[in-house]
Amino acid sequence: MKKAAVAAVAVLAAVLAALLAYDGIINKEATADFFAMNTYASAKITGADSEECAALAEEITQSLDTDILSRTAENSEVFLLNKNGGGALGKKMRGYVSVLLDVCEKSGGAFDFTLGAVSDLWNFGGNPSIPDSAALSDALSHSGYKKLALAENTLTYADKAAVIDFGAAGKGIALDEIREAFAEKSIKEAVVSVGGSVLLMGEKQFTVGIRNPSGNAGSYIAKLHIPAGCVSTSGSYEQQFEENGEKYHHILDPETGCPAKSGLLSVTIISESGIMSDALSTACFVLGHEKGAALAKEYGCTAIFITENNEVFVENGSKDIIEITDGAYTLI
Ligand code: ADP
Ligand code: MG
């Protein structure tokens, strides 16, 4: 071979090696599985910073829980607000509270993040049982978002016994914080799930399963084909217990303080915002199909309702996004 040809081959080989190395970097995958916010969480990330981001997803979720949103971790922001009957809010907390107060109002009180004392009585996170009715009425009398007043950066509880609880929105908030942190990193795709809330980042169409609301934890009844965003599902199957032949679940009707009976098994909300998808899925579950659909529309979110008759409705969005994979369920 002539010298020039040898040189050309060498250059080509070097370019190819560099390309392969580059491909290896941008498609580098990392995963993390962890337990946070009282639920299982996982992250699967592709990109140059994937390892750092997988660790970051866990770190952010854990510290958001223990330092900020937990009702039980002493000295978390929420713990101190509840202890002191309000207080000054940091910029982030002010943002969360104002979004949630808006959902409380627009849902006509079906969503209410002041039910902490009522939730405690049911003890869904621990060893649940039907509360004593006098205790339930008492806890309910100290609940209600109208007892909160947000002025400038200060939250005031009109009733100092009110207990705020981020159980219905914390997982979505975690997704928003994770997305914000990832924005400065070099990643191609990310799928992060915290309980029933999932964050999707990247340029492709993603496939997300909708859990079987009356079956095993690991089974799905449909696939959603959707672009980047957040998806949350709230269902009566989470944290259920049975007493005297009746089933009780953890999504409460703020009017009664008892598990909401709205004819639904689950609601899935698709939104750009994690806090919105999480809070709205709970709100729509309490409201039921018709009123829930109106609320989702007001916020510009697509909602998927699964009724107790195993009927599946897509509201404020195209049915093309859903593919039912379980013959027991019917897309209407
Ligand atoms: P999951 O925690 O299974 O993701 P949700 O997002 O629907 O489910 O939140 C349920 C949690 O929210 C309950 O465990 C409780 O702490 C709280 N909660 C229950 N009922 C309501 C309600 N009507 N509005 C706001 N929060 C609620
Ligand atoms: Mg929720």
Side-chain angles (χ1 to χ4, degrees), residues 35-38 58-80 93 170 174:
F35 192 83
M37 297 190 167
N38 223 6
E58 176 168 2
E59 222 175 276
I60 289 172
T61 312
Q62 300 287 19
S63 83
L64 189 65
D65 190 11
T66 32
D67 303 337
I68 305 187
L69 301 181
S70 169
R71 206 146 51 76
T72 49
E74 286 201 22
N75 299 323
S76 79
E77 263 185 78
V78 166
F79 178 91
L80 293 175
M93 181 56 83

Side-chain angles (χ1 to χ4, degrees), residues 4-18:
V6 172
V9 168
V11 168
L12 266 178
V15 167
L16 194 65

Side-chain angles (χ1 to χ4, degrees), residues 110-112 115 119 165 167-168 171 234 238 250-252 254 278 282 286:
F111 181 88
D112 195 318
L115 291 172
S119 280
D165 162 36
K171 299 171 192 89
S234 285
E238 290 275 3
H250 72 315
I251 305 173
L252 304 172
D278 197 357
T282 309
V286 177

Side-chain angles (χ1 to χ4, degrees), residues 259-270:
K261 288 183 185 163
S262 57
L264 297 175
L265 295 176
S266 78
V267 181
T268 299
I269 301 283
I270 304 168

